[in-house]
Amino acid sequence: ARLANDLAEALDHFGLQRSILVGHSMGALTLMQYLHLHGTQRVAAVALVDQSPRIVTDDSWRLGLFGSCSAAMLSGMIAGARQDLAGTLLNEVGALGGAWLQRQLSVEAPLGRMLRRRLGRIDVRPLLDLAESLALADFRASLSRLDAPLLVVLGARSPHYAGVPLDGWYRDTVKHAQISIYPHAGHSPHVSEPLRFARDLERFIDDHA
């Protein structure tokens, strides 16, 4: 909510009355929060990049992170990071990367020791507070009422949402939405396929600016 209000204050400060808002990942959730709080009065159009309207899952909602990240799982990860950020983060990365990476990130390995030193200097409390607020967010109902043009860009190889049929949910929920799936992109389609993203965004702006 604070990030969404920061955005509202920025629009006020610069006197922007008809903006096209583009958000990726947490930025997309910030835009959803902005729309929930402030509506579309000053919004010409919205683009959301590789994000679900609700990141935690339960028996009735399987379209959150990984298709299987429950609120309890996310809360456990956040609690672990509050106690030991480096250990929690490196264990998660190592588990995804396999046995070789796990060895490189261990307490005994030079890389693991260096990363633990660096991560130990970071005050992560504000980020973890933010993560907790994101875990509570649910913008499904407010997006169903969205009356501004919407572009949704999804990465087919996203480590967060690959195999999660978010495209179908957006098509069913926001009938006027334009959905683009980038076959070679991960969580950051604007990085993986920058030229296509730039062209798609330019066309979207031309149509709605």
Side-chain angles (χ1 to χ4, degrees):
R2 177 55 196 264
L3 296 181
N5 285 330
D6 287 344
L7 173 58
E9 290 171 4
L11 297 180
D12 286 340
H13 177 78
F14 292 105
L16 301 177
Q17 298 304 317
R18 295 292 293 166
S19 299
I20 292 182
L21 304 177
V22 183
H24 163 244
S25 192
M26 185 174 69
L29 288 172
T30 299
L31 293 191
M32 295 180 207
Q33 180 74 61
Y34 173 87
L35 295 168
H36 177 74
L37 292 174
H38 302 283
T40 57
Q41 182 177 357
R42 295 191 295 174
V43 177
V46 179
L48 304 174
V49 182
D50 210 60
Q51 189 55 278
S52 170
R54 184 183 185 220
I55 66 172
V56 296
T57 62
D58 56 29
D59 290 342
S60 64
W61 176 254
R62 310 306 301 178
L63 305 183
L65 285 169
F66 321 122
S68 60
C69 183
S70 69
M73 291 170 58
L74 190 56
S75 295
M77 290 173 60
I78 293 169
R82 288 194 187 279
Q83 295 296 318
D84 179 10
L85 171 67
T88 300
L89 183 60
L90 297 180
N91 286 339
E92 290 292 329
V93 172
L96 291 172
W100 179 85
L101 186 57
Q102 284 179 319
R103 289 194 297 272
Q104 302 307 308
L105 299 179
S106 70
V107 177
E108 297 80 17
L111 177 61
R113 291 197 301 272
M114 181 270 290
L115 290 173
R116 280 171 171 78
R117 284 196 304 272
R118 293 194 175 187
L119 289 169
R121 302 187 191 114
I122 299 173
D123 180 5
V124 295
R125 289 172 297 177
L127 291 176
L128 296 178
D129 290 345
L130 178 56
E132 286 182 339
S133 76
L134 296 178
L136 295 173
D138 184 350
F139 300 112
R140 291 174 293 177
S142 55
L143 279 180
S144 72
R145 300 187 293 270
L146 182 67
D147 58 0
L150 175 64
L151 170 67
V152 177
V153 177
L154 303 170
R157 300 182 181 181
S158 170
H160 297 72
Y161 297 113
V164 177
L166 274 174
D167 57 320
W169 182 86
Y170 277 110
R171 286 192 180 93
D172 291 341
T173 305
V174 189
K175 300 298 186 182
H176 60 274
Q178 174 185 331
I179 316 293
S180 293
I181 301 176
Y182 288 27
H184 307 296
H187 183 51
S188 303
H190 51 294
V191 176
S192 304
E193 300 185 49
L195 294 180
R196 177 182 174 183
F197 183 84
R199 287 194 296 267
D200 287 350
L201 188 58
E202 284 180 342
R203 281 195 293 267
F204 185 66
I205 291 171
D206 287 342
D207 289 341
H208 302 292

